[in-house]
Amino acid sequence: MSDYELPPGDKWRQFELRAMGFRSFAGVRSDAPLNPFRLAKFANLLVLDFEQIEGLSVAAREHLLGFASEAWSGGACSRPLPDGRKIVILNPNHGRMRTNATLMEEISHVFLGHQPNRLHVVTEDARGRTSARDYLKADEEAAYGIGAAALVPYSALRRSVLKGQTSAQIARHFRVSRELVEYRLKVTRLWRTYRSAHVEGNAPENRSPTA
Ligand SMILES: [Zn+2]
């Protein structure tokens, strides 16, 4: 495998290899967007519409979709249904770009064989990065990191950067948020190359690499 297909750093190389496995399982080309909704059924996940949840009070529903909507992205119930499937519920307010990353993380947990304790809840901090409870911290990092690598693979990301594409263009192509693309640029150490191509004129890109 050439150096152009794997990012630097042992951990991120391992993550990339796992992500490549997910993508080849899904049958997508190396530069094509991955649709996690199509992959979910192979992970035995049943993605339920929020509106299908019964027994939620009006107040609870309003809280989850109103005031608290930015505080949760999605969750998976760790106890499977009798047929073995696990239920995943995604925040309907978050839009497809963010939901793709949330669902991909749940799929990663399953494919990586992680064992959750109870309900897996993904929350977001002010920067939009996911953090969650009930898996080991290392498992969380792997599921998120590998899920992100499956959605935005290194080799295609690198080619896009060398072609001078912006993070917004790359995000549109892979159907993810620009924040996820920038996270990938940073962890795969393409950020400096990216920044030097976009340092002038593109105000939204003028942010510190540690942000
Ligand atoms: Zn997780």
Side-chain angles (χ1 to χ4, degrees):
M1 192 160 294
S2 87
D3 277 352
Y4 300 127
E5 288 171 65
L6 293 175
D10 196 44
K11 181 174 79 181
W12 289 99
R13 281 173 179 260
Q14 295 306 319
F15 281 7
E16 196 74 30
L17 287 168
R18 299 303 295 263
M20 285 172 160
F22 292 5
R23 289 179 63 84
S24 77
F25 181 71
V28 286
R29 283 206 333 264
S30 64
D31 56 350
L34 174 68
N35 182 350
F37 284 81
R38 291 180 58 186
L39 207 47
K41 65 174 185 291
F42 296 109
N44 245 351
L45 295 175
L46 176 63
V47 182
L48 283 190
D49 195 311
F50 187 82
E51 298 305 324
Q52 291 173 276
I53 309 170
E54 289 178 12
L56 267 187
S57 69
V58 172
R61 184 177 298 268
E62 282 176 358
H63 178 73
L64 287 170
L65 295 184
F67 183 72
S69 185
E70 282 304 301
W72 72 285
S73 298
C77 183
S78 57
R79 179 168 297 187
L81 296 167
D83 66 6
R85 290 181 298 174
K86 283 183 188 170
I87 289 173
V88 173
I89 293 158
L90 301 167
N91 189 325
N93 287 352
H94 279 191
R96 190 57 183 268
M97 303 265 182
R98 288 168 73 184
T99 298
N100 279 345
T102 305
L103 180 57
M104 195 59 230
E105 184 188 330
E106 298 294 349
I107 292 166
S108 290
H109 279 304
V110 173
F111 283 170
L112 297 170
H114 296 164
Q115 296 297 327
N117 301 319
R118 293 188 303 273
L119 181 71
H120 179 231
V121 179
V122 178
T123 55
E124 295 193 11
D125 64 22
R127 295 197 183 107
R129 284 283 304 278
T130 53
S131 54
R133 280 175 219 123
D134 284 336
Y135 281 101
L136 297 172
K137 196 164 177 285
D139 284 354
E140 285 304 343
E141 192 197 1
Y144 185 79
I146 294 168
L151 289 168
V152 184
Y154 173 74
S155 61
L157 178 64
R158 184 177 173 279
R159 278 195 301 275
S160 301
V161 168
L162 295 179
K163 276 192 278 183
Q165 292 189 343
T166 65
S167 56
Q169 288 173 316
I170 300 167
R172 262 196 305 281
H173 173 74
F174 287 109
R175 298 172 198 155
V176 297
S177 68
R178 206 187 69 199
E179 287 73 17
L180 187 83
V181 170
E182 295 185 355
Y183 161 79
R184 285 289 292 154
L185 289 171
K186 288 168 190 171
V187 298
T188 61
R189 300 190 206 161
L190 288 168
W191 184 251
R192 195 183 292 262
T193 310
Y194 176 77
R195 287 274 292 146
S196 63
H198 296 282
V199 76
E200 282 157 35
N202 287 324
E205 322 296 347
N206 291 339
R207 289 186 289 177
S208 101
T210 52

